[in-house]
Amino acid sequence: MTDKATLTIGDKSYDLPILKGSTGPDVVDVRKFYGDSDHFTFDPGFTSTASCESKITYIDGDAGILLHRGYPIDQLAEKSSFLEVCHLLLNGELPTAEEATKFEHNITYHTMLHAQFDSFFQGFRRDAHPMAIMTGAVGALSAFYADSLNVDDPKQREISAHRLIAKMPTIAARAFQYSVGRPFVTPRNELSYSENFLRMCFSVPAEDWVPNPVLTRAMDRIFILHADHEQNASTSTVRLAGSSGAHPFACIAAGIACLWGPSHGGANQEALEMLEEIGTVENIPAYVQGVKDKKYKLMGFGHRVYKNFDPRAKVMQKTCYEVLEQLGINDPLLQVAMELEKVALSDPYFIERKLYPNIDFYSGITLRAMGFPTNMFTVLFALARTVGWISQWKEMFEDPARKIGRPRQLYTGATQRDYTPLEKRG
Ligand code: SDX
């Protein structure tokens, strides 16, 4: 195997080192190429560009493989817990029993918010989209924790990570309760992470809240499935924001803003609204024709990396069936989703374009069955993805090669020209 690439421009040749990973594609190191050749490389959307070196998550889009620190996502979803996966993503290994107890204690005892923080929600209209509230609220957290400003201090990075993982459920539940006019619910330390979140979302002061172990397990598994996903758009946003040394809470707020987009984390809400628009199995052929006519995209289908099935979608589909069965719900939208998946997977238009269901296709039906309104779906995605964002942010600070991100451009605008006075403009 060669360890360099040679690029020839005119009568000059440039040797570019090839760097090898533990698995997956090797990379051509172009860091010195501009300095040597006065040429930039060009890759809008960065789909052929490795922005960093990472040990956290590996994706093989053709084989439908997703590994977190080497562990396959389906094994983690079946056998692990979200807090255990948080420890794995942050620290590189599954925790020992002692480490698990200590980590769970650290997270549990950071779930509360400053009392002053609750008044922050009052500034929003009741009909504000919960993602707008999350973007604002998480950014505002940086005003409450000035003690974790030194991002070069590993201990302060660790406390910021613990605070974010712990407080996201409390903030997300407050965004939900505020939007439906219910009183805020304080976290309880005797409950597990997912139980605590479901109680903060669905309990009312008028009666005791009884946990449902099947729904708790489903919530925990949904969080695992959404925890991290390599250098996706929102993770790259967090890394770029963090590269300037910005406050970690502000960087996570930037990630939330990016995730909200319908092409990214907003797709779970769009996918359910698409199923509601289709309404019945009989309407599927006409809707699919509209996709082929490029009137709209099939939400919950396709992926920038997976050109085969999304391994998370299979676990999400299984979880969907379990939740609907547990709740005794016969959701007609599930029939529409299953038939739409069957039609798309057998249609040359989708096969040629390698479009398969992604994680967002079945998550909406599941979350709706659990009692969440569609505008909360991406909030749950952001809650889960926080550990991925902050793990990648932490890894960036542990990289001695770290520097502020600063992409360049291919400039095609006006070349230099002199100012034209108003009276001389045509
Ligand atoms: C997430 O990056 C991540 O890892 C993201 C994520 C994570 O965990 O962080 O996995 C979460 O964002 C999942 C994706 C959620 N988005 C959606 O479900 C929205 C619908 N999907 C599309 O918008 C689209 O598939 C993207 C944005 C996800 C990917 O877009 P690409 O990379 O531009 O797709 P492509 O280049 O492979 O498209 C090839 C062709 C094009 O058609 P032609 O111009 O060749 O005729 O497929 C078409 C596209 O127009 N196409 C679709 C389609 N997705 C791509 N056509 C219909 N429906 C779709 N969903």
Side-chain angles (χ1 to χ4, degrees):
M1 289 287 280
T2 176
D3 58 2
K4 71 176 181 179
T6 301
L7 191 55
T8 302
I9 301 174
D11 56 0
K12 286 191 176 178
S13 291
Y14 304 90
D15 286 342
L16 303 170
I18 289 182
L19 309 180
K20 297 183 178 309
S22 50
T23 183
D26 297 337
V27 299
V28 177
D29 184 346
V30 295
R31 282 175 288 188
K32 292 187 168 57
F33 181 62
Y34 168 57
D36 295 345
S37 71
D38 200 33
H39 283 69
F40 294 137
T41 59
F42 187 60
D43 182 21
F46 312 117
T47 48
S48 298
T49 295
S51 62
C52 63
E53 178 183 337
S54 181
K55 296 176 170 54
I56 298 175
T57 291
Y58 174 70
I59 299 172
D60 180 329
D62 293 327
I65 291 172
L66 168 56
L67 308 177
H68 289 318
R69 303 285 191 179
Y71 296 101
I73 188 63
D74 54 326
Q75 290 185 30
L76 293 172
E78 288 301 320
K79 299 172 180 174
S80 188
S81 69
F82 180 63
L83 277 195
E84 192 174 72
V85 170
C86 287
H87 184 282
L88 175 67
L89 291 171
L90 270 173
N91 302 309
E93 296 295 340
L94 290 167
T96 61
E98 185 185 344
E99 288 167 335
T101 303
K102 183 164 180 269
F103 186 75
E104 184 157 7
H105 181 274
N106 279 336
I107 299 303
T108 301
Y109 284 80
H110 278 111
T111 51
M112 288 188 67
L113 292 168
H114 188 291
Q116 188 73 29
F117 196 82
D118 279 358
S119 58
F120 189 81
F121 291 90
Q122 304 311 322
F124 291 102
R125 288 171 37 139
R126 288 284 179 177
D127 63 354
H129 195 293
M131 279 300 279
I133 297 178
M134 292 299 290
T135 305
V138 175
L141 267 184
S142 47
F144 285 78
Y145 294 99
D147 67 317
S148 57
L149 272 176
N150 180 5
V151 292
D152 292 314
D153 176 351
K155 287 310 284 176
Q156 290 190 39
R157 293 201 296 265
E158 185 181 54
I159 183 71
S160 289
H162 291 172
R163 279 172 170 156
L164 280 159
I165 294 166
K167 297 179 192 307
M168 281 299 276
T170 311
I171 297 171
R174 272 153 166 67
F176 176 39
Q177 295 288 56
Y178 186 75
S179 70
V180 294
R182 288 198 294 252
F184 292 158
V185 178
T186 304
R188 296 284 308 173
N189 290 346
E190 74 274 11
L191 298 180
S192 70
Y193 189 88
S194 294
E195 254 178 2
N196 223 346
F197 175 64
L198 289 174
R199 179 179 169 275
M200 287 190 283
C201 286
F202 295 112
S203 75
V204 291
E207 60 186 28
D208 292 338
W209 180 79
V210 179
N212 177 324
V214 173
L215 298 189
T216 300
R217 181 72 191 116
M219 190 81 266
D220 209 65
R221 188 179 293 163
I222 290 169
F223 287 159
I224 291 172
L225 293 175
H226 289 80
D228 190 54
H229 211 237
E230 201 212 64
Q231 306 310 320
N232 59 83
S234 53
T235 298
S236 299
T237 300
V238 171
R239 277 182 172 259
L240 195 55
S243 71
S244 73
H247 193 293
F249 297 157
C251 297
I252 297 300
I256 295 171
C258 177
L259 186 75
W260 192 5
S263 290
H264 190 13
N268 49 23
Q269 173 174 346
E270 303 268 342
L272 191 89
E273 288 165 357
M274 172 190 74
L275 293 173
E276 288 171 332
E277 183 185 343
I278 295 171
T280 65
V281 170
E282 292 70 28
N283 294 338
I284 288 175
Y287 194 86
V288 166
Q289 189 53 51
V291 173
K292 294 179 178 179
D293 297 341
K294 305 265 182 184
K295 290 179 182 168
Y296 37 73
K297 292 202 169 179
L298 208 53
M299 301 314 282
F301 266 72
H303 199 276
R304 182 55 64 81
V305 175
Y306 290 122
K307 298 310 175 188
N308 196 323
F309 65 92
D310 179 339
R312 303 167 297 175
K314 288 184 176 293
V315 182
M316 196 65 247
Q317 184 185 55
K318 179 171 178 286
T319 303
C320 184
Y321 296 156
E322 286 172 2
V323 167
L324 294 185
E325 186 182 351
Q326 163 67 18
L327 297 174
I329 294 176
N330 179 20
D331 187 344
L333 289 188
L334 179 62
Q335 311 313 322
V336 175
M338 290 166 65
E339 181 61 21
L340 180 59
E341 180 180 10
K342 197 164 74 175
V343 166
L345 294 185
S346 59
D347 187 308
Y349 180 89
F350 298 93
I351 295 168
E352 286 156 15
R353 291 166 175 79
K354 299 183 176 180
L355 300 177
Y356 296 85
N358 59 47
I359 189 168
D360 296 308
F361 189 63
Y362 280 99
S363 58
I365 299 170
T366 312
L367 295 172
R368 185 172 86 144
M370 294 175 74
F372 292 105
T374 50
N375 65 8
M376 274 295 292
F377 294 175
T378 311
V379 170
L380 301 178
F381 196 153
L383 187 168
R385 186 53 59 88
T386 295
V387 64
W389 289 330
I390 202 66
S391 297
Q392 300 267 354
W393 172 86
K394 173 175 174 281
E395 181 179 63
M396 176 175 69
F397 279 95
E398 291 162 353
D399 179 351
R402 174 177 73 90
K403 56 179 69 172
I404 188 167
R406 180 46 172 101
R408 303 301 301 273
Q409 63 183 10
L410 171 66
Y411 180 70
T412 56
T415 52
Q416 184 166 329
R417 53 183 170 167
D418 293 329
Y419 180 81
T420 309
L422 182 57
E423 63 276 8
K424 291 192 175 175
R425 291 175 208 157

